[in-house]
């Protein structure tokens, strides 16, 4: 009897572990999403890399309370073969100890990490928005780290402002020759006392480098990689080419949507056209998303309006864009990835994943309580 009981317990345990390994068979946007260790997935402001037949999800590791909005741990990595069920792969990039003086010292702000693979060097390259400790959001820097393994550990390379001394490709002669008025340090995050061109913020930051906050990465079919980021006090989106090893910029970049105050950019390509999804600038509070299309990644870009179609579309279903995931092998299928922020308890942030649909030139997103691929 004891032997039969023991065998039965092993069988039940085996079945249980198998079921636990495939706990989910659908997406339920906004609900607690457990990993293989029974813990809510901790990868906020993240993105996905498809590599070697697996999906790797990188995002900000948040901790409890308001203090969890700062980087106390680093960048978390998870892997999956079906996008529903995720295995905890640990911390891909760890912050440095307090007092180390490192740009990524514990207590800094490290947001929206994205990882791409460089086919030429074989390296995995991570970029992120960085605010060194104690600078609030005045630093507006970009950080870079690399690894030989997709899950890390990643080695921090450098951080700072970008494209110092380089004019945007589409900067007008008028802008280059105009003076730079004094701008008081009273930036609110979503407004300025004038249009960014009248304040000539682009020229103001020419010598020290352009600001870069909310960001994303995109690798085109020809292998060229691009850095998309909110710049010029968040008033203008910039799109910049990376160099051949993806660890720095090559000086080619453009200014887009000047004065429109867009952040949280997510780019994808469909039928030869480039698409962007972005949000407005309202801090942690959600707002109506924006979308745009272009024939060339460096523009001209044409706005297409809010892609969300249902109730709560004015808040992007209470979320903010972080990534658009193309489905490998399915050129017409994409997934919107958004964050439902909870800044009063950062660790409780939820994930809003929804399918994209296409209506003519534009893409649209409909709410679904539950859906399957």
């Amino acid at each position: 009897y004891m032997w039969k009981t023991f065998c039965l317990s092993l069988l039940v345990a085996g079945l249980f572990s198998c079921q636990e390994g495939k706990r989910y068979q659908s997406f339920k946007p906004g609900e607690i999403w457990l990993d293989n260790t029974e813990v809510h997935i901790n990868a906020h402001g993240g993105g996905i890399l498809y590599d070697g037949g697996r999906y790797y999800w990188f995002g900000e590791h948040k901790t409890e309370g308001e203090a969890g909005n700062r980087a106390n741990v680093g960048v978390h990595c998870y892997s999956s073969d079906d996008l529903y069920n995720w295995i905890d792969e640990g911390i891909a990039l760890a912050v440095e100890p307090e007092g180390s003086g490192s740009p990524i010292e514990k207590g800094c702000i490290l947001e929206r990490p994205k990882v791409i693979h460089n086919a030429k060097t074989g390296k995995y390259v991570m970029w992120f928005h960085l605010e060194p400790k104690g600078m609030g959001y005045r630093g507006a820097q970009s950080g870079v780290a690399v690894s030989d393994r997709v899950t890390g550990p990643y080695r921090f390379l450098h951080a700072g402002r970008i494209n110092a001394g380089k004019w945007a490709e589409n900067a007008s002669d008028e802008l280059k020759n105009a003076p730079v008025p004094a701008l008081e340090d009273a930036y609110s995050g979503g407004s300025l006392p004038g249009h960014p061109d009248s304040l000539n913020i682009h020229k103001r930051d020419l010598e020290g480098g352009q600001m870069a906050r909310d960001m994303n990465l995109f690798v085109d079919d020809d292998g060229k990689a691009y850095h998309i980021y909110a710049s010029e006090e968040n008033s203008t989106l910039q799109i910049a080419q990376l160099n051949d090893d993806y660890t720095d910029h090559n000086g080619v970049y453009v200014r887009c949507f000047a004065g429109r105050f867009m952040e949280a950019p997510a780019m994808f390509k469909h039928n030869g056209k480039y698409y962007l999804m972005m949000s407005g600038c309202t801090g942690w509070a959600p707002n109506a998303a924006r979308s745009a299309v272009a024939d060339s990644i460096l523009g001209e870009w044409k706005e297409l309006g809010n892609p969300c179609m249902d109730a709560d579309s004015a808040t992007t279903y209470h979320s903010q864009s972080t990534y658009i995931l193309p489905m490998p092998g399915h050129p017409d299928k994409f997934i919107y990835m958004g964050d439902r922020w909870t800044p009063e308890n950062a660790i409780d942030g939820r994930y809003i994943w929804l399918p994209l649909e296409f209506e003519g030139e534009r893409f649209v997103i409909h709410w679904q309580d539950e859906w399957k691929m």
Side-chain angles (χ1 to χ4, degrees), residues 24 28-34 39-41 347-351:
Y24 300 107
K28 296 182 179 180
E31 293 195 7
I32 288 286
W33 198 349
L34 302 178
V39 175
H40 181 46
I41 293 170
I347 198 172
D348 190 37
R350 308 293 177 88
Y351 309 105

Side-chain angles (χ1 to χ4, degrees), residues 286-346:
N287 54 61
R290 292 98 176 270
S291 63
V293 65
D295 292 323
S296 167
I297 195 169
L298 297 179
E300 296 283 331
W301 286 88
K302 180 176 72 172
E303 288 196 52
L304 300 173
N306 186 352
C308 300
M309 306 301 292
D310 305 314
D312 293 327
S313 62
T315 64
T316 316
Y317 310 124
H318 299 280
S319 72
Q320 185 183 36
S321 50
T322 185
Y323 196 74
I324 303 294
L325 172 63
M327 298 300 300
H330 299 277
D332 292 323
K333 296 190 182 299
F334 299 83
I335 297 176
Y336 162 75
M337 294 172 52
D339 288 285
R340 183 170 287 175
W341 303 112
T342 53
E344 65 281 357
N345 187 25

